[in-house]
Amino acid sequence: TVMDPNFVMLVLVVALLIGGLAFAVYLLLRTGRRRAERLRVAFELGTSKPAGVLGSAVDGLYRGYSCRYQVQYPSQYDRGGASLRLMVSSPHQWTTEVAKPGTRLLTRFGLLKDFEIGDRELDEHFRFAADDEGSLRSIFATETARDAMHVLVASENFESVRVRPERVDVRWSPRMPKLDEEPEELRSRLEFVVTLVQACGYPPSQPTPR
């Protein structure tokens, strides 16, 4: 019997799509491994390894903290960038992010929180929110914590800090390979974030990033 030409064409198209997808996955995996290999020197010797979906992240230790550094590619709704997660023990929950016109408007209408920490420059350019305003102000009552925050927010493309009881997440955006994929830049980011969490009094926790 002669096979239907339309069926043969469909099989060929499906095979090409599957082959193309497999090749794309292979390229992403290879890129992730190469990135992890290049960035490993930023962590404590012998502690780093590729992680995350398709090797988009790298896990490692830095000054005793379990860390995960992940690169995010741009999409239609996201400018992409890089994020750094440290596993900590924190009694607080708070966030800091670059103040934008949209968030300022929502804050004005009372839809978002915006607490002042007592530092004019930080209060003017960044939005602070927390479960408890008093705890937030007590964190930044020390000059050490304020100085550490000034250094972190001055890092190029800084976007936000989010503190939870078990972790601290910091994000830089938009995506810039010359920043996000350079070992020296990652080492600086690690140093800035660890300095901040230590100034806030958050010791390392044992669980590894996930």
Side-chain angles (χ1 to χ4, degrees):
T1 60
V2 179
M3 295 185 67
D4 186 341
N6 291 330
F7 176 76
V8 174
M9 182 61 68
L10 178 61
V11 170
L12 290 174
V13 170
V14 170
L16 287 173
L17 289 174
I18 293 174
L21 179 61
F23 184 67
V25 170
Y26 165 75
L27 289 179
L28 288 172
L29 282 170
R30 188 176 67 172
T31 300
R33 290 194 187 100
R34 288 181 174 177
R35 182 191 302 120
E37 182 67 25
R38 188 166 60 252
L39 296 175
R40 66 185 302 177
V41 297
F43 297 91
E44 294 176 12
L45 184 64
T47 65
S48 66
K49 60 181 180 180
V53 178
L54 301 178
S56 60
V58 55
D59 287 351
L61 292 176
Y62 188 80
R63 289 172 58 183
Y65 289 85
S66 294
C67 310
R68 170 165 291 188
Y69 182 73
Q70 183 157 10
V71 172
Q72 290 102 23
Y73 292 97
S75 67
Q76 184 179 356
Y77 304 104
D78 193 319
R79 300 184 303 167
S83 62
L84 178 61
R85 171 170 293 182
L86 268 65
M87 306 307 292
V88 304
S89 293
S90 164
H92 307 124
Q93 290 197 157
W94 55 272
T95 63
T96 306
E97 65 179 12
V98 175
K100 302 173 183 177
T103 57
R104 289 188 185 279
L105 185 62
L106 292 173
T107 299
R108 187 173 302 172
F109 285 104
L111 299 177
L112 289 177
K113 295 179 180 178
D114 187 6
F115 297 142
E116 292 189 352
I117 64 169
D119 184 294
R120 186 171 63 180
E121 184 178 347
L122 291 173
D123 288 332
E124 181 178 350
H125 295 99
F126 300 91
R127 184 178 73 87
F128 289 84
D131 288 345
D132 178 68
E133 184 177 7
S135 295
L136 180 66
R137 292 182 69 91
S138 69
I139 294 168
F140 291 102
T142 68
E143 185 176 353
T144 303
R146 294 195 302 273
D147 287 347
M149 178 60 77
H150 274 285
V151 172
L152 175 59
V153 300
S155 60
E156 191 168 358
N157 284 0
F158 169 83
E159 185 175 84
S160 64
V161 177
R162 299 186 184 279
V163 177
R164 296 293 179 265
E166 75 286 355
R167 67 181 187 268
V168 173
D169 291 301
V170 183
R171 177 174 165 85
W172 293 264
S173 183
R175 171 104 164 95
M176 288 184 64
K178 69 176 183 178
L179 294 176
D180 302 335
E181 300 188 18
E182 287 301 318
E184 290 185 6
E185 182 66 25
L186 173 55
R187 176 64 66 91
S188 295
R189 290 174 171 180
L190 285 162
E191 185 65 24
F192 297 158
V193 177
V194 168
T195 299
L196 175 64
V197 299
Q198 289 184 335
C200 293
Y202 306 150
S205 63
Q206 295 306 311
T208 56
R210 59 186 188 276

